[in-house]
Structure formats: structure tokens, C-alpha cells
Amino acid sequence: MSHDAQAALESAWGQSQLTTQANNFFGIKGAYNGQSVSMPTVEYDSNGQMENTTANFKKYPSAYASFADNGATLRNGTSWNSKYYSGSWKENASSYVAAANALTGKYATAPNYGASLINLIQTYGLDQVFNETGSAASSSTVSGASSSSSATSSAASSSSSSSSSSTTTTASQKAPLASVKYYSSSGQDQVSLSNKYRKYYVYNHIKGASQSEKKYTWNSLGVNNPVNVYLDMRGVKKGTSGSWYRLRFYQNAKAKKFWVYAPALKFASTYYGNTTGRLTPNVKSSGAIYNHVVSSPTLSKSVAKISTLKAKKTGYSVDKTALQSSKKGPILWYRVSDGKTKGWIKGTNVTSYPASVAIANAKVTKVIAKNATSTLLYDHAVETGNMQKHYKLAQTTLKIGTKVVVDKIGYKIQDHSTWYRITTPGSNNKYWVSSKCLS
């Protein structure tokens, strides 16, 4: 029964390009008696991201040969494991539900592969045709067509689409679960979804870390465009370097939470620099001191209320500066390092500053804009606030359209203007220019 459901799913009911051109009803990769065809396909990596690729698929002389070969593949397994698909064998699977789920993560990389087969069997009554029943305890029923992408096959079918409902993944129950290291935060870190968020599913747990794993499409959660979300936890799976984040769509800490892989989120660029001096915090402020800059990839925890700090005539010493990009210009942060008082304070909660210009290191490529001809370029004086030695664009080797590398960003406290230090291509000459001069 799962065999017939597979054929329907993989071949789009016999209408896929792979089926009509190569009699390949199961999307099996490789060559059959030396014959193969190259087809585009979609696969899923270990983090649930869809990837477009091209692969060679078996070309059969007839539909019978395709069905016979698939049966042999499921019964005989792979070259490295003859029992690779044994979970789907009738003697090992108590129902078609168990057989279908046993193929997920083995026959196909699509996380919802087994659920898609079960959906087809139940929708078209294949269980009645073959006089079989599924387990009453199963929660793998889905309410829509799901996309397929086989480890041995592809989504070359013309009718595959993501389900708009959630899917429970049970195929990995026998597989070892991923070990995850978690980092909690205050839950006030707010970021936007990235432009490629639709390439990733949303999960109730970090993918591969729980047997009760469920995944959701963004559409099923009512998200049709990039929106801002709140993050309260970060997780890193053992043996990987990528981060997962737990999000909610509302500021209320009791709102429902989901997990997504980092590329689905867009963190604001944050640039750091060493500094010296002292600042005076606004002790009347309702703000907090954080262990990390808020809304940065490390996430942040509040370590103290600014209002709990003692007013000191000499202020508090600082050792680092951070400039975080935003649509309204850089957001300024200082890291206080004064005895037991340590952490990041937002510039808006400061009444006196370590210097008139906050400097952070960067490595960004920019282009000299048209209006640079009417503005001035300055020597290193911007770093001290003493902007006296200046040049016109014509006095340098720079021209409109020249690509330059920015190695420092400066933020003037007095007028909130942003400045970049650029290096002249082919020389060691460096100039400070207004952000308005670059694009």
C-alpha cells in the first residue's frame, strides 16, 4: 500500500517529467542498466533548509521495471546496509502508518515524507483497497498535500507543494536525538525575519532534538511577510556551528513559542571597538545593564537596573563601544567595566560620554556617491573631534563610483551624525567621510 502511495506521490500520479521521460515512478537516483536522465530536484539539509540541485535518476524501459526495482530497493537495502529500509517491511511494521514513517529520513530527506504518504493512503482509501488499517494512536495525519524530496529521489513532480498545516515527525524515534546546548536570555531581543525566511520551516523543538517534533509552514502561522519577532533562547546542536532561536510573535512572554534556524532571522549589524574613559549613567532611567548588546546574535540578559547604580562624581569606566545599525542611524552602546559593575548600557541612558565621538571597527565595502563632490574628506581628526585638516574629492585619487573599504565607523554624540573611515584603493591613505558621501 505504501508502495502505491509512493508511486502516486513521487510521480505526481504518473504525470511528472521524470515519469513520462524515464518511466521512473519512485524518483530513484542512479542508473538502470547504464541508463539515466538528469533532472532538477529539491532536497533538505540537516537543518530543514530546502536546497535546489540537479541529480541523475534511473531511466527504466517500462513502468514494470520501475516498480520491480523499487520493491527490490526497499527489500534489499543499500550497498552498505541490507536492512536500511527494514522498518517498512511488513514483518516489522504493525501498520501502513509505521511503514510510511519508517521511510522518512531514509528514503526521503523531506521531513514530512511519511505524513505525505499517510495522507494519500487515507485520502484515497488505499487502506481499504488493500484491507489494512493504520494505528489508532498515530498522530501523523495531515490535512493537505505535502512536498516530497527523496534521499534516493526528487521532487521532480509537477504538483509538490508545502502543507499549510503542522506535521508530526515520528520517523526519527529510533534515531539518536541531537544533543543541544541552550543559552537563555531576557526575551527582549527583537529582530526581523530575513528575506529568505520562507526557505525554512518553523518547529516546536530544535529539529532533531525531540521525538515529539512538529514543524509548521509560515503560512499556517499567518505569516506572509517578514515581521519582527522576539527571541528568548538560543540553541546549538552538538557537532554544528549554526544557532537555532526560540521566537514568539508577541511581546507577551506567555505567547506561543517556536524554533527557527538562524538564517531565517535578520540580525542588525553590530560593530565593536575598544575605548577608554568614563561615563555617567542616568540613574533615573528605567533602562537596564545587559551582559550582551540587545538584539545581537548572542542574545542578552539583564544583569542590573541602571536605577540601582550609585551616582559617582567620577562616573564609571568603560572598555568597549558598540554601534548597532538601524533605519534611523547607529544605536550606541558602551560596556561598563568598573569593579563589580559590568555590562552594556545603551547610549540613550548615558548623561556624559567617554568621548565626543564613539568609534567601532568595521569591514564594509561602500561606493563613493555623487554628492561626495560637494562635501569634504577629513584626516584622522574625526577620532578626536578636531576636524580641521580636510580635502576635496578632486584633491584625492578617489572618484564617484570608486569602491572603498570602510574599516571604522564613527558616531558623533553632539549631532548624531555617522562617519566612515575609508582607505584609498592602491594606497595607504585613509580619510573620514560623512555617511552621506557613500552608498
Side-chain angles (χ1 to χ4, degrees):
M1 179 194 316
S2 296
H3 190 64
D4 292 84
Q6 270 192 291
L9 179 64
E10 295 286 352
S11 71
W13 298 95
Q15 300 303 308
S16 74
Q17 186 179 10
L18 181 60
T19 302
T20 57
Q21 290 187 10
N23 285 315
N24 192 328
F25 282 78
F26 298 91
I28 299 180
K29 291 178 181 175
Y32 185 83
N33 293 335
Q35 299 297 306
S36 66
V37 292
S38 181
M39 291 279 179
T41 181
V42 176
E43 295 190 353
Y44 295 77
D45 65 16
S46 60
N47 291 313
Q49 180 183 6
M50 292 183 287
E51 296 178 335
N52 293 314
T53 186
T54 301
N56 290 326
F57 296 87
K58 291 184 178 182
K59 183 177 182 179
Y60 297 97
S62 65
Y64 176 84
S66 176
F67 276 76
D69 188 47
N70 183 64
T73 298
L74 294 179
R75 172 50 74 173
N76 299 324
T78 65
S79 59
W80 66 89
N81 185 353
S82 61
K83 296 183 179 181
Y84 190 70
Y85 299 112
S86 61
S88 66
W89 297 352
K90 190 173 183 67
E91 60 266 34
N92 296 329
S94 59
S95 66
Y96 68 79
V97 170
N101 281 328
L103 294 174
T104 307
K106 288 183 174 290
Y107 190 93
T109 59
N112 58 343
Y113 188 74
S116 298
L117 296 177
I118 295 166
N119 180 64
L120 281 172
I121 293 169
Q122 294 176 346
T123 299
Y124 295 97
L126 297 180
D127 55 328
Q128 302 301 318
V129 173
F130 292 88
N131 194 29
E132 294 186 27
T133 60
S135 170
S138 170
S139 60
S140 299
T141 303
V142 295
S143 60
S146 299
S147 63
S148 161
S149 176
S150 303
T152 58
S153 69
S154 98
S157 88
S158 59
S159 64
S160 66
S161 62
S162 294
S163 169
S164 61
S165 61
S166 65
T167 304
T168 303
T169 303
T170 59
S172 61
Q173 289 180 357
K174 295 182 180 180
L177 297 177
S179 176
V180 180
K181 186 172 183 179
Y182 294 93
Y183 304 85
S184 61
S185 74
S186 297
Q188 297 304 308
D189 300 270
Q190 188 177 18
V191 303
S192 171
L193 297 181
S194 70
N195 290 332
K196 54 185 178 182
Y197 77 97
R198 286 187 178 277
K199 292 184 178 180
Y200 300 86
Y201 282 110
V202 186
Y203 295 86
N204 63 331
H205 297 285
I206 291 179
K207 180 176 171 58
S210 172
Q211 292 183 348
S212 58
E213 176 184 301
K214 289 184 179 180
K215 71 178 180 61
Y216 306 83
T217 64
W218 295 98
N219 285 341
S220 71
L221 300 178
V223 179
N224 300 309
N225 295 290
V227 296
N228 288 336
V229 296
Y230 293 89
L231 310 179
D232 68 358
M233 189 173 290
R234 179 170 68 97
V236 180
K237 290 195 284 188
K238 184 178 180 180
T240 69
S241 58
S243 292
W244 287 74
Y245 292 91
R246 192 170 72 174
L247 66 83
R248 62 186 191 277
F249 296 101
Y250 304 97
Q251 189 170 11
N252 188 333
K254 295 183 179 180
K256 191 169 183 178
K257 299 176 177 64
F258 305 91
W259 285 92
V260 294
Y261 193 45
L265 303 172
K266 182 181 179 181
F267 289 89
S269 299
T270 305
Y271 306 96
Y272 298 87
N274 296 323
T275 190
T276 57
R278 306 181 76 83
L279 62 73
T280 302
N282 180 5
V283 294
K284 295 181 180 180
S285 167
S286 60
I289 302 175
Y290 298 90
N291 63 336
H292 297 292
V293 173
V294 176
S295 298
S296 61
T298 51
L299 301 188
S300 63
K301 274 186 178 181
S302 172
V303 296
K305 292 287 186 181
I306 295 178
S307 59
T308 63
L309 298 180
K310 295 180 180 180
K312 297 170 62 175
K313 290 184 179 180
T314 58
Y316 288 81
S317 61
V318 297
D319 64 355
K320 284 189 179 295
T321 301
L323 294 173
Q324 190 176 59
S325 62
S326 75
K327 293 181 179 179
K328 296 182 179 180
I331 299 173
L332 173 61
W333 292 84
Y334 288 106
R335 191 173 76 173
V336 175
S337 182
D338 194 315
K340 294 183 179 180
T341 304
K342 298 181 184 296
W344 289 91
I345 294 180
K346 199 171 185 180
T348 52
N349 293 322
V350 174
T351 57
S352 68
Y353 301 83
S356 60
V357 182
I359 305 291
N361 300 317
K363 191 174 182 181
V364 183
T365 300
K366 296 280 187 178
V367 177
I368 302 294
K370 291 183 178 179
N371 60 352
T373 56
S374 59
T375 56
L376 299 174
L377 293 78
Y378 294 86
D379 239 336
H380 303 289
V382 168
E383 296 176 81
T384 62
N386 183 20
M387 300 167 58
Q388 304 229 350
K389 193 172 182 180
H390 57 266
Y391 307 85
K392 291 183 179 180
L393 187 67
Q395 293 176 291
T396 71
T397 58
L398 296 169
K399 296 180 181 179
I400 295 172
T402 300
K403 288 185 178 181
V404 294
V405 175
V406 174
D407 68 352
K408 287 186 181 294
I409 300 176
Y411 179 74
K412 291 183 67 177
I413 306 299
Q414 185 175 11
D415 61 9
H416 307 295
S417 60
T418 305
W419 294 76
Y420 294 118
R421 193 174 78 168
I422 62 175
T423 301
T424 304
S427 76
N428 293 323
N429 295 331
K430 295 181 184 290
Y431 302 99
W432 280 95
V433 298
S434 168
S435 60
K436 298 177 182 179
C437 296
L438 303 178
S439 59

